[in-house]
Amino acid sequence: QIQLVDSGGGLVQPGGSLRLSCKVSSPYFNVFTMSWYRQAPGESRELVASISRLGSTHYLDSVKGRFTISRDNGQRIVYLQMTSLKPEDTAVYYCHAKIQESYSWGQGTQVTVSS
């Protein structure tokens, strides 16, 4: 069973920054596609950003230019650097690890953007 531990969320003012981290327990981390999803109250969970094992990235249109996903294969951590945060970025953010048809979720970390 792969364990993912999300951290780094919090309360931030509009325009501020946060960095989320996701620590993965599996020694096969380097072959996973890693992603960050988010879910706001009353909304469906949506894909925010993903990074392949080769480092190719994909972003939700509304976060392009503001969010950056990266991975440290040696430490088995995936990051989501979030800048220029907006109130509409408020959500629970979840880390996701996938290889072929197998996947796991982190427990989620709350991000609240408010003045």
Side-chain angles (χ1 to χ4, degrees):
Q1 180 74 17
I2 300 169
Q3 290 190 324
L4 285 66
V5 179
D6 307 335
S7 63
L11 173 63
V12 63
Q13 291 186 341
S17 299
L18 281 174
R19 187 177 78 160
L20 306 183
S21 300
C22 173
K23 178 72 173 177
V24 181
S25 66
S26 173
Y28 305 108
F29 172 81
N30 60 309
V31 299
F32 293 155
T33 293
M34 298 300 303
S35 302
W36 287 96
Y37 286 73
R38 68 186 181 188
Q39 187 166 19
E43 301 289 333
S44 301
R45 194 171 295 192
E46 63 179 355
L47 176 63
V48 176
S50 62
I51 184 166
S52 74
R53 63 184 181 91
L54 297 179
S56 298
T57 57
H58 167 82
Y59 295 95
L60 181 67
D61 283 347
S62 62
V63 308
K64 284 181 181 176
R66 300 188 299 121
F67 291 10
T68 302
I69 189 170
S70 61
R71 63 192 299 159
D72 182 334
N73 288 339
Q75 296 295 318
R76 303 176 193 168
I77 298 176
V78 62
Y79 299 101
L80 184 68
Q81 179 68 50
M82 305 185 293
T83 63
S84 301
L85 282 160
K86 304 175 180 180
E88 52 263 44
D89 295 317
T90 295
V92 179
Y93 284 70
Y94 298 90
C95 181
H96 180 269
K98 184 176 185 295
I99 178 168
Q100 296 181 343
E101 300 306 313
S102 298
Y103 60 90
S104 293
W105 292 95
Q107 82 284 3
T109 185
Q110 176 70 47
V111 172
T112 302
V113 185
S114 175
S115 55

